[in-house]
Amino acid sequence: MRYYTYFPGCSSAHGGAKAYDLSAQAVAQALDIELIELEDWNCCGSTPYTSVDELASYCCSARNLALAEKRGFELVTPCSACYVVLNRTNSALKEYPETKAKVDEALAAGDLKYHGTVKVRHLLDALANDFSRDQITSKVKVDIGGLKVAPYYGCQVVRPGPGFDHPEFPLSLDRLIESLGAEATPFPLKARCCGGSLIIPEEDLALELIYKLLSNASSNGAECIVTVCPLCQTNLDAYQGRINKKFKTSFNLPILFFTQLMGLAFGVENKALGLEKCVIPADKVLARYATK
Amino acid sequence: MHALECLAVRHSMSYAQTHTPTMYRSFSDFVYSIGALPEMGFMTWFYLLTNPLRALKMFPVALNLAKRGRLSIKAKRMKPEAERQLKAILYKAEELGEMP
């Protein structure tokens, strides 16, 4: 049994990416992992809080790190934004003593102290690198051979480097897909931005980016896209209808979390993976494979 | 790029047509107040502050998400003592002023 402290993030815990949390838990169970949720965690602040008040955003993240430090396990999050923000806080506290002094003082106001020992990891890193190909393959119960999957990393999980994968041409998700028996299609834009939260205030800009991603995946033969980021999933899934209307296209690409694809291959029931939560249904594409 | 964005938001140097700084501030206000981001509440608040009519345009997307249980009205709440702890930390951070 492997243990990780688990930081689901707002979107996966209670928001639009609940399926990510469900499928992550199901896959963890299959792989004999215990994801122990960090008790009383708070929002990481994401990009917006850093932009408005950098010190407060570091303090916000440092509270989570201090709580995680008491547990002693590595901190794993499925959310790319949480991963970046928590890691950035860790780096800032190590590299800038004056910042650390202020954060320490703020944490002390909440009777907390952070010594800087927590290693923050993305769930993709943990599942792709802590398990060998054979260990993953040995759990596969459903043959998804031939399923063409575009591996979409998004812009945050591999940047800023050096991280656990290459910032422009990452491969960890490709390899994971292949070890499940599916085919990772070429996807040159796999580490490009989907617009993120800018879909709210700058919709046209974000739709243009999403359109490019869907076109790129589709023209390379993908039957579905698999992603590691809650916001990317929502943007590519929920806005596909709007894209079709705006660009006069007919995309119908299911957007799955990588943990949903893993669960599917491991024979986990669809409901336990939250597959019914996809706006673009995955049933047609998956009909060729045994689904429960 | 992110550093420039931070400077623009903090010093209100964005161009008039963009609502991005308002969105960032709304987001931060939620984190400061309750330590979480309730997506539905945040979006509603943002559209009320900027352009309530745009919320109507977003209705089909919101409905699609709500139908699939992906638009929660209820916010995740921390335990009261945890909320107090976060507030004490953030209040202190505010007192300490800007980044060194």
Side-chain angles (χ1 to χ4, degrees):
Chain A
M1 177 74 90
R2 283 174 193 262
Y3 299 92
Y4 300 96
T5 300
Y6 180 58
F7 185 87
C10 297
S11 193
S12 304
H14 301 273
K18 186 69 195 158
Y20 201 5
D21 179 56
L22 286 172
S23 53
Q25 296 287 359
V27 166
Q29 203 179 347
L31 288 171
D32 219 11
I33 293 172
E34 194 169 344
L35 295 174
I36 311 158
E37 186 169 331
L38 184 65
E39 205 181 335
D40 266 327
W41 54 271
N42 56 265
C43 173
C44 72
S46 195
T47 311
Y49 209 178
T50 324
S51 305
V52 174
D53 187 336
E54 202 173 5
L55 180 62
S57 80
Y58 283 147
C59 292
C60 216
S61 286
R63 177 179 177 270
N64 292 319
L65 292 168
L67 294 175
E69 195 168 50
K70 291 180 183 175
R71 288 266 183 80
F73 301 120
E74 289 178 340
L75 183 64
V76 163
T77 177
C79 173
S80 301
C82 298
Y83 168 70
V84 166
V85 169
L86 290 165
N87 253 330
R88 187 168 52 205
T89 303
N90 244 347
S91 307
L93 297 181
K94 271 179 198 142
E95 288 165 29
Y96 306 109
E98 288 178 26
T99 301
K100 186 175 182 331
K102 284 200 171 191
V103 172
D104 281 348
E105 206 176 329
L107 283 179
D111 288 324
L112 282 175
K113 183 151 182 62
Y114 179 51
H115 302 91
T117 61
V118 176
K119 185 172 181 189
V120 180
R121 301 179 71 192
H122 192 279
L123 186 63
L124 171 65
D125 176 22
L127 298 185
N129 295 320
D130 290 358
F131 295 86
S132 68
R133 188 185 172 109
D134 287 347
Q135 281 174 308
I136 299 288
T137 307
S138 70
K139 300 287 178 190
V140 174
K141 291 183 183 146
V142 176
D143 181 11
I144 55 169
L147 178 64
K148 294 183 171 62
V149 182
Y152 182 45
Y153 298 77
C155 62
Q156 290 190 303
V157 76
V158 288
R159 294 193 192 91
F164 66 91
D165 209 334
H166 194 282
E168 290 294 336
F169 304 104
L171 283 172
S172 45
L173 183 57
D174 296 56
R175 283 196 288 260
L176 195 58
I177 290 167
E178 302 278 350
S179 63
L180 296 171
E183 182 188 328
T185 60
F187 189 17
L189 300 187
K190 63 185 173 183
R192 294 295 169 92
C193 182
C194 71
S197 60
L198 289 182
I199 192 76
I200 304 168
E202 304 284 349
E203 190 184 296
D204 287 341
L205 176 85
L207 289 181
E208 180 88 31
L209 295 174
I210 300 167
Y211 165 71
K212 283 180 185 165
L213 292 168
L214 293 172
S215 300
N216 193 236
S218 189
S219 64
N220 278 292
E223 294 173 278
C224 65
I225 296 178
V226 158
T227 181
V228 304
C229 170
L231 201 48
C232 295
Q233 199 281 340
T234 302
N235 280 359
L236 269 66
D237 185 31
Y239 288 85
Q240 224 171 106
R242 243 177 161 75
I243 295 281
N244 284 335
K245 208 170 161 192
K246 183 177 166 77
F247 297 94
K248 299 185 176 32
T249 48
S250 53
F251 295 122
N252 194 30
L253 275 176
I255 315 295
L256 303 176
F257 291 110
F258 79 104
T259 42
Q260 287 179 307
L261 187 73
M262 289 181 83
L264 205 72
F266 291 170
V268 179
E269 284 183 30
N270 287 358
K271 202 163 180 216
L273 299 172
L275 280 173
E276 78 286 355
K277 292 185 183 295
C278 293
V279 173
I280 306 296
D283 322 20
K284 254 190 189 172
V285 169
L286 302 175
R288 301 204 315 263
Y289 311 95
T291 52
K292 290 176 190 173
Chain B
M1 192 60 142
H2 181 60
L4 283 175
E5 185 187 43
C6 294
L7 283 172
V9 171
R10 277 178 223 147
H11 299 284
S12 304
M13 288 171 74
S14 50
Y15 72 104
Q17 287 83 0
T18 183
H19 293 308
T20 305
T22 311
M23 186 198 79
Y24 280 9
R25 288 205 178 88
S26 310
F27 188 111
S28 306
D29 289 346
F30 271 101
V31 180
Y32 188 89
S33 309
I34 61 169
L37 189 80
E39 288 164 352
M40 179 77 171
F42 161 64
M43 299 275 277
T44 308
W45 182 240
F46 169 74
Y47 285 122
L48 281 173
L49 287 177
T50 53
N51 182 359
L53 288 176
R54 259 199 78 211
L56 294 175
K57 207 178 135 198
M58 296 306 294
F59 186 71
V61 174
L63 187 67
N64 260 335
L65 292 171
K67 276 198 294 195
R68 289 162 181 86
R70 292 176 59 177
L71 205 56
S72 172
I73 295 170
K74 253 177 87 180
K76 172 221 173 224
R77 296 306 295 247
M78 301 159 77
K79 284 188 197 133
E81 60 269 28
E83 211 171 292
R84 276 196 296 275
Q85 183 184 52
L86 178 66
K87 280 241 166 74
I89 293 169
L90 293 179
Y91 184 75
K92 188 71 188 175
E94 212 173 20
E95 233 180 54
L96 291 168
E98 291 198 357
M99 285 285 289

